[in-house]
């Protein structure tokens, strides 16, 4: 990308989309389109056709999607399947019809991998086994999006690339206690307990599953680097290569927030996949300087930022 290339971010209001926008601006890119959902509904094919016909972007970050944590995924699987499949298919078809020279980057998710894997999970595990039930709709949609990108590359020569980000957290996260992802939800529960003087919080499952934690701006940096330096149908993991148990994540957040109350584990809630540590050798080969910050540093950044703290407490 040149600094004045026409760049389109679809999904620029969310956790990852806003991190990509912030990082592109920091790196000096000047021609960035960030249409929001109200102006451009990706479920309406005619809207994305019109938009791409008029704007003809050179680079498209297709980050938009219906996302959520284990509860959101588990209770609305058909919505996650339908919306996420339709959005990427509409974007690919409209790109083919209106700006076939545009390069598209599409993030899948580590939940496209089977429920059980040798650890760490390398990219060849895609389609190698049965999926985890709690996020099947999202995983099938993301997997379909990945295959669609590969097929539009093969049949129409569109320069699509697909990345598989691990569990993310960062600025502009979703702090919905029911439908949010685990890390922002844990941050909110602990910060709220501290503010209210509560001595106990309830977290879900056993606390034993293991998850990575990638700061959204680090993921954005890797994504921009790959947009600039990678072109292949082979998918690429973006993770840290290091995981913690949910209990360990809670302890790290507790110590940063300086709250020493008790955690109760609600065993009626699902654990989901037990572990999904990513193998990031493919990424490191292309981007050897990839060096994400620790969970401790990331959480510190968030809770010491006034605006983010307001967002957490609202
Ligand atoms: O981020 P999360 O909701 O989804 O994390 P996944 C779920 C894990 O955290 C489970 C535990 O083991 C939960 O039992 N957990 C403990 C909690 N307390 C809580 C809590 O208060 N809220 C939440 N949400 N979890 C995601 C997918 O799977 O993986 C996404 O849902 C995406 O779509 C992402 O693919 C990479 O990590 O299981």
């Amino acid at each position: 990308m040149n600094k004045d290339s026409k760049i389109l971010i679809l999904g620029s209001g969310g956790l990852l989309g806003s991190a990509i926008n912030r990082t592109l601006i920091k790196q000096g890119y000047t021609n960035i389109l960030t249409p929001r959902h109200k102006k451009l509904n990706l479920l309406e094919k005619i809207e994305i056709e019109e938009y791409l016909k008029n704007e003809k972007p050179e680079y498209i970050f297709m980050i938009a999607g219906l996302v959520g944590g284990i509860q959101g995924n588990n209770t609305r699987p058909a919505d996650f399947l339908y919306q996420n499949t339709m959005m990427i298919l509409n974007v690919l078809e409209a790109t083919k019809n209106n700006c076939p020279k545009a390069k598209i980057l599409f993030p899948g998710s580590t939940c496209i991998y089977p429920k059980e894997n040798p650890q760490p999970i390398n990219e060849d595990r895609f389609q190698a086994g049965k999926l985890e039930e709690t996020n099947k709709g999202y995983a099938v949609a993301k997997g379909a999006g990945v295959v669609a990108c590969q097929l539009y590359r093969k049949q129409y020569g569109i320069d699509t690339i697909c990345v598989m980000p691990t569990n993310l957290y960062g600025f502009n996260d979703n702090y919905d206690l029911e439908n949010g992802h685990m890390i922002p939800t844990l941050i909110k529960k602990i910060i709220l307990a501290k503010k209210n003087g509560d001595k106990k919080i309830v977290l879900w499952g056993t606390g034993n599953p293991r998850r990575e934690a990638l700061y959204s701006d680090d993921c954005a940096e890797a994504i921009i680097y790959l947009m600039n330096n990678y072109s292949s149908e082979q998918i690429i993991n973006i993770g840290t290569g290091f995981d913690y148990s949910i209990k360990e994540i809670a302890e790290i957040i507790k110590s940063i927030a300086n709250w020493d109350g008790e955690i109760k584990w609600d065993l009626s809630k699902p654990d989901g996949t037990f572990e999904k540590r990513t193998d990031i050798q493919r990424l490191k080969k292309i981007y050897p300087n990839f060096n994400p910050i620790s969970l401790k540093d990331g959480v510190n950044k968030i809770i010491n930022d006034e605006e983010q703290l307001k967002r957490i407490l609202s």
Side-chain angles (χ1 to χ4, degrees), residues 68-71 73 109-111 135 138 165-167 177 180-183 185-186 189 202-206 209 211 246 265 269-273 276:
I70 196 165
Q71 174 99 339
N73 269 275
S109 159
T110 51
C111 69
N135 54 27
Y138 186 73
T166 191
N167 290 69
L177 289 174
H181 284 103
M182 176 265 299
I183 299 172
T185 308
L186 263 55
K189 285 182 176 175
V202 178
L203 299 183
W204 299 349
T206 60
R211 294 289 183 273
I246 311 277
W265 297 94
K269 291 282 201 288
D271 266 348
T273 305
K276 43 180 178 176

Side-chain angles (χ1 to χ4, degrees), residues 124-280:
D124 295 337
R125 295 292 300 160
F126 179 40
Q127 297 182 318
K130 281 201 171 166
L131 295 167
E132 156 63 29
E133 276 300 318
T134 53
N135 54 27
K136 201 189 225 171
Y138 186 73
V140 169
K142 283 295 188 180
V146 168
V147 173
C149 285
Q150 292 168 334
L151 297 182
Y152 275 75
R153 165 182 277 275
K154 184 174 173 191
Q155 186 177 345
Y156 295 111
I158 297 179
D159 192 359
T160 57
I161 57 174
C162 297
V163 299
M164 301 305 126
T166 191
N167 290 69
L168 300 175
Y169 69 101
F171 279 26
N172 300 328
D173 222 327
N174 172 6
Y175 290 99
D176 183 308
L177 289 174
E178 284 301 307
N179 296 308
H181 284 103
M182 176 265 299
I183 299 172
T185 308
L186 263 55
I187 294 175
K188 178 160 185 161
K189 285 182 176 175
I190 290 169
I191 295 285
L192 271 181
K194 162 112 177 159
K195 179 169 175 266
N196 298 335
D198 295 340
K199 293 275 171 266
K200 189 183 84 182
I201 59 167
V202 178
L203 299 183
W204 299 349
T206 60
N208 295 326
R210 304 187 69 82
R211 294 289 183 273
E212 292 183 322
L214 179 61
Y215 191 58
S216 58
D217 288 43
D218 290 327
C219 186
E221 256 183 38
I223 277 178
I224 294 165
Y225 190 89
L226 291 170
M227 186 65 119
N228 277 320
N229 296 285
Y230 185 70
S231 177
S232 163
E233 77 289 347
Q234 283 201 320
I235 64 176
I236 298 200
N237 288 339
I238 305 182
T240 61
F242 177 83
D243 61 4
Y244 310 85
S245 70
I246 311 277
K247 277 181 191 157
E248 287 166 341
I249 293 176
E251 286 306 319
I252 289 171
I253 300 170
K254 272 176 68 176
S255 82
I256 296 168
N258 201 15
W259 178 77
D260 65 357
E262 186 194 352
I263 294 176
K264 289 267 178 214
W265 297 94
D266 178 355
L267 300 181
S268 72
K269 291 282 201 288
D271 266 348
T273 305
F274 181 70
E275 57 183 349
K276 43 180 178 176
R277 182 159 49 90
T278 53
D279 181 338
I280 55 170

